[in-house]
Amino acid sequence: GNSVTQMEGPVTLSEEAFLTINCTYTATGYPSLFWYVQYPGEGLQLLLKATKADDKGSNKGFEATYRKETTSFHLEKGSVQVSDSAVYFCALSAPNYGGATNKLIFGTGTLLAVQP
Amino acid sequence: KAGVTQTPRYLIKTRGQQVTLSCSPISGHRSVSWYQQTPGQGLQFLFEYFSETQRNKGNFPGRFSGRQFSNSRSEMNVSTLELGDSALYLCASSPDRGRGTEAFFGQGTRLTVV
């Protein structure tokens, strides 16, 4: 079945450090890939997405490239800020026999803590 | 534009009781999905509704049910509550169904079963 694997946290970085959070997926067909972020006490917010191979999603300095050959969608940011501290979820959505779906399959989440 | 509204925000119930959670999607959104978030199992898909019809169901027992109304508002119900049902229940709305459609999440309902 479809699944998402992302690196265990927590990830602790100093401000302005480079961030990478690894995400790999298993899916039949051609899924859409997403990164969502959850701040304390909040619901999830879409950070970025990519819908086909070699697409790069980007937002607020974060980037991720849809790599079909390695089934990966790693999240990167060149210089993190304290305000980036949150839990980051990699997710996929894949059509099924019933056609299009908004069902999301999430990874376990990675807690990022950025220290001043 | 108002976001996704979930009510109530917090709920405490006793084992064996039932509970109904409500979700009002963003105006104009026709798709509503529900997720359960727990520390042990993470985020798990419960249901997807579109135009009042359940389109997808996750791997949860029959005690979990839901519905969507003609105004796209949705409710989910859990009967015969168990301690393990304690979780944050998140509702997400989307304008439509399709490739790469963004889901907009509410703040969730925190259910505690005692």
Side-chain angles (χ1 to χ4, degrees):
Chain A
N2 299 333
S3 66
V4 175
T5 303
Q6 64 181 102
M7 63 188 285
E8 295 279 335
V11 173
T12 303
L13 296 172
S14 298
E15 210 165 21
E16 299 183 4
F18 183 84
L19 168 70
T20 299
I21 301 178
N22 290 337
C23 171
T24 57
Y25 68 90
T26 301
T28 52
Y30 299 93
S32 296
L33 301 174
F34 306 83
W35 277 100
Y36 279 85
V37 58
Q38 187 175 33
Y39 297 100
E42 302 285 326
L44 280 72
Q45 301 173 24
L46 178 68
L47 183 58
L48 52 85
K49 68 178 183 182
T51 58
K52 61 183 188 298
D54 300 325
D55 267 2
K56 179 187 281 189
S58 61
N59 185 27
K60 299 180 182 178
F62 291 89
E63 293 183 341
T65 301
Y66 189 144
R67 301 284 187 201
K68 189 163 175 57
E69 64 275 11
T70 54
T71 61
S72 65
F73 194 55
H74 304 320
L75 183 68
E76 296 182 334
K77 187 176 186 183
S79 176
V80 294
Q81 305 300 312
V82 171
S83 57
D84 294 327
S85 298
V87 181
Y88 292 81
F89 292 92
C90 185
L92 71 81
S93 177
N96 55 28
Y97 295 112
T101 178
N102 289 338
K103 172 185 174 181
L104 291 167
I105 296 170
F106 287 93
T108 52
T110 302
L111 173 62
L112 170 66
V114 180
Q115 298 176 337
Chain B
K1 205 174 195 182
V4 178
T5 303
Q6 293 188 244
T7 56
R9 288 291 311 277
Y10 301 92
L11 207 47
I12 300 175
K13 289 287 189 179
T14 304
R15 237 179 342 172
Q17 288 186 312
Q18 75 160 15
V19 67
T20 299
L21 311 182
S22 179
C23 173
S24 293
I26 291 171
S27 178
H29 285 196
R30 298 188 294 165
S31 171
V32 172
S33 298
W34 289 87
Y35 295 84
Q36 181 195 65
Q37 185 175 25
T38 60
Q41 300 298 317
L43 278 156
Q44 293 190 288
F45 171 78
L46 280 157
F47 327 97
E48 176 191 2
Y49 287 90
F50 184 80
S51 295
E52 301 177 67
T53 302
Q54 187 179 94
R55 305 292 177 150
N56 249 308
K57 188 178 191 307
N59 192 23
F60 279 82
R63 301 184 296 106
F64 291 80
S65 63
R67 58 180 175 169
Q68 186 181 33
F69 302 96
S70 58
N71 61 358
S72 293
R73 191 177 69 84
S74 178
E75 290 180 347
M76 66 164 282
N77 184 280
V78 188
S79 62
T80 319
L81 284 165
E82 300 178 358
L83 296 179
D85 297 333
S86 295
L88 180 66
Y89 290 88
L90 292 167
C91 169
S93 78
S94 299
D96 213 323
R97 302 176 83 214
R99 191 167 187 76
T101 300
E102 178 177 354
F104 295 81
F105 284 81
Q107 291 185 289
T109 294
R110 172 76 62 186
L111 172 65
T112 302
V113 182
V114 298

